[in-house]
mmCIF file of all heavy atoms in Angstrom:
data_model
loop_
_atom_site.group_PDB
_atom_site.id
_atom_site.type_symbol
_atom_site.label_atom_id
_atom_site.label_comp_id
_atom_site.label_asym_id
_atom_site.label_seq_id
_atom_site.Cartn_x
_atom_site.Cartn_y
_atom_site.Cartn_z
ATOM 1 N N GLY A 579 -54.106 -23.242 196.358
ATOM 2 C CA GLY A 579 -53.097 -23.868 195.512
ATOM 3 C C GLY A 579 -53.478 -24.587 194.428
ATOM 4 O O GLY A 579 -52.988 -24.402 193.304
ATOM 5 N N ALA A 580 -54.688 -25.310 194.548
ATOM 6 C CA ALA A 580 -55.219 -25.981 193.386
ATOM 7 C C ALA A 580 -55.718 -24.901 192.340
ATOM 8 O O ALA A 580 -55.575 -25.176 191.175
ATOM 9 C CB ALA A 580 -56.348 -26.864 193.921
ATOM 10 N N LEU A 581 -56.420 -23.944 192.887
ATOM 11 C CA LEU A 581 -56.932 -22.858 191.915
ATOM 12 C C LEU A 581 -55.750 -22.226 191.198
ATOM 13 O O LEU A 581 -55.933 -21.876 189.997
ATOM 14 C CB LEU A 581 -57.607 -21.818 192.692
ATOM 15 C CG LEU A 581 -59.019 -22.193 193.103
ATOM 16 C CD1 LEU A 581 -59.714 -20.992 193.995
ATOM 17 C CD2 LEU A 581 -59.935 -22.419 191.820
ATOM 18 N N MET A 582 -54.639 -21.914 191.873
ATOM 19 C CA MET A 582 -53.463 -21.301 191.128
ATOM 20 C C MET A 582 -52.839 -22.236 190.193
ATOM 21 O O MET A 582 -52.404 -21.813 189.098
ATOM 22 C CB MET A 582 -52.422 -21.000 192.304
ATOM 23 C CG MET A 582 -52.733 -19.810 193.106
ATOM 24 S SD MET A 582 -51.461 -19.315 194.185
ATOM 25 C CE MET A 582 -50.139 -18.909 193.057
ATOM 26 N N LEU A 583 -52.823 -23.678 190.352
ATOM 27 C CA LEU A 583 -52.459 -24.568 189.429
ATOM 28 C C LEU A 583 -53.258 -24.464 188.145
ATOM 29 O O LEU A 583 -52.727 -24.440 187.022
ATOM 30 C CB LEU A 583 -52.388 -26.043 190.020
ATOM 31 C CG LEU A 583 -51.935 -27.103 189.025
ATOM 32 C CD1 LEU A 583 -50.505 -26.841 188.572
ATOM 33 C CD2 LEU A 583 -52.141 -28.503 189.691
ATOM 34 N N VAL A 584 -54.622 -24.521 188.358
ATOM 35 C CA VAL A 584 -55.445 -24.425 187.156
ATOM 36 C C VAL A 584 -55.302 -23.087 186.504
ATOM 37 O O VAL A 584 -55.185 -23.146 185.215
ATOM 38 C CB VAL A 584 -56.929 -24.455 187.617
ATOM 39 C CG1 VAL A 584 -57.804 -24.243 186.503
ATOM 40 C CG2 VAL A 584 -57.242 -25.925 188.261
ATOM 41 N N THR A 585 -55.138 -21.992 187.215
ATOM 42 C CA THR A 585 -54.909 -20.614 186.588
ATOM 43 C C THR A 585 -53.585 -20.587 185.822
ATOM 44 O O THR A 585 -53.466 -20.114 184.840
ATOM 45 C CB THR A 585 -54.909 -19.647 187.672
ATOM 46 O OG1 THR A 585 -56.057 -19.640 188.455
ATOM 47 C CG2 THR A 585 -54.657 -18.150 187.115
ATOM 48 N N THR A 586 -52.562 -21.318 186.366
ATOM 49 C CA THR A 586 -51.255 -21.254 185.706
ATOM 50 C C THR A 586 -51.329 -22.107 184.392
ATOM 51 O O THR A 586 -50.769 -21.605 183.378
ATOM 52 C CB THR A 586 -50.207 -22.015 186.626
ATOM 53 O OG1 THR A 586 -50.068 -21.268 187.757
ATOM 54 C CG2 THR A 586 -48.879 -22.127 185.948
ATOM 55 N N ILE A 587 -52.092 -23.164 184.355
ATOM 56 C CA ILE A 587 -52.249 -23.953 183.097
ATOM 57 C C ILE A 587 -52.914 -23.014 182.021
ATOM 58 O O ILE A 587 -52.599 -23.048 180.962
ATOM 59 C CB ILE A 587 -52.969 -25.232 183.451
ATOM 60 C CG1 ILE A 587 -52.095 -26.148 184.230
ATOM 61 C CG2 ILE A 587 -53.369 -25.956 182.137
ATOM 62 C CD1 ILE A 587 -52.905 -27.434 184.783
ATOM 63 N N TYR A 588 -53.932 -22.360 182.628
ATOM 64 C CA TYR A 588 -54.656 -21.483 181.621
ATOM 65 C C TYR A 588 -53.825 -20.307 181.173
ATOM 66 O O TYR A 588 -53.837 -19.971 179.920
ATOM 67 C CB TYR A 588 -55.963 -20.824 182.368
ATOM 68 C CG TYR A 588 -56.606 -19.775 181.609
ATOM 69 C CD1 TYR A 588 -57.288 -20.048 180.417
ATOM 70 C CD2 TYR A 588 -56.500 -18.468 181.948
ATOM 71 C CE1 TYR A 588 -58.007 -19.093 179.710
ATOM 72 C CE2 TYR A 588 -57.103 -17.430 181.235
ATOM 73 C CZ TYR A 588 -57.827 -17.871 180.156
ATOM 74 O OH TYR A 588 -58.462 -16.808 179.421
ATOM 75 N N VAL A 589 -53.070 -19.705 182.108
ATOM 76 C CA VAL A 589 -52.202 -18.594 181.500
ATOM 77 C C VAL A 589 -51.111 -18.978 180.538
ATOM 78 O O VAL A 589 -50.909 -18.348 179.689
ATOM 79 C CB VAL A 589 -51.533 -18.074 182.869
ATOM 80 C CG1 VAL A 589 -50.357 -17.179 182.527
ATOM 81 C CG2 VAL A 589 -52.489 -17.186 183.750
ATOM 82 N N LEU A 590 -50.565 -20.227 180.918
ATOM 83 C CA LEU A 590 -49.608 -20.735 179.896
ATOM 84 C C LEU A 590 -50.324 -21.045 178.512
ATOM 85 O O LEU A 590 -49.701 -20.819 177.543
ATOM 86 C CB LEU A 590 -48.895 -21.957 180.557
ATOM 87 C CG LEU A 590 -47.962 -21.717 181.649
ATOM 88 C CD1 LEU A 590 -47.505 -23.018 182.312
ATOM 89 C CD2 LEU A 590 -46.821 -20.732 181.357
ATOM 90 N N ALA A 591 -51.314 -21.704 178.640
ATOM 91 C CA ALA A 591 -52.091 -22.184 177.280
ATOM 92 C C ALA A 591 -52.577 -21.044 176.591
ATOM 93 O O ALA A 591 -52.339 -20.906 175.337
ATOM 94 C CB ALA A 591 -53.269 -23.079 177.611
ATOM 95 N N ALA A 592 -53.127 -19.968 177.239
ATOM 96 C CA ALA A 592 -53.588 -18.757 176.560
ATOM 97 C C ALA A 592 -52.467 -17.711 176.353
ATOM 98 O O ALA A 592 -52.886 -16.733 175.678
ATOM 99 C CB ALA A 592 -54.785 -18.235 177.364
ATOM 100 N N LYS A 593 -51.350 -17.933 176.900
ATOM 101 C CA LYS A 593 -50.312 -16.821 176.762
ATOM 102 C C LYS A 593 -50.721 -15.576 177.282
ATOM 103 O O LYS A 593 -50.526 -14.515 176.590
ATOM 104 C CB LYS A 593 -49.796 -16.812 175.263
ATOM 105 C CG LYS A 593 -49.205 -18.113 174.753
ATOM 106 C CD LYS A 593 -48.602 -18.007 173.393
ATOM 107 C CE LYS A 593 -47.919 -19.195 172.902
ATOM 108 N NZ LYS A 593 -47.305 -19.177 171.628
#
Side-chain angles (χ1 to χ4, degrees):
L581 284 176
M582 285 184 65
L583 177 60
V584 172
T585 303
T586 301
I587 294 172
Y588 170 73
V589 164
L590 292 174
K593 295 184 178 180

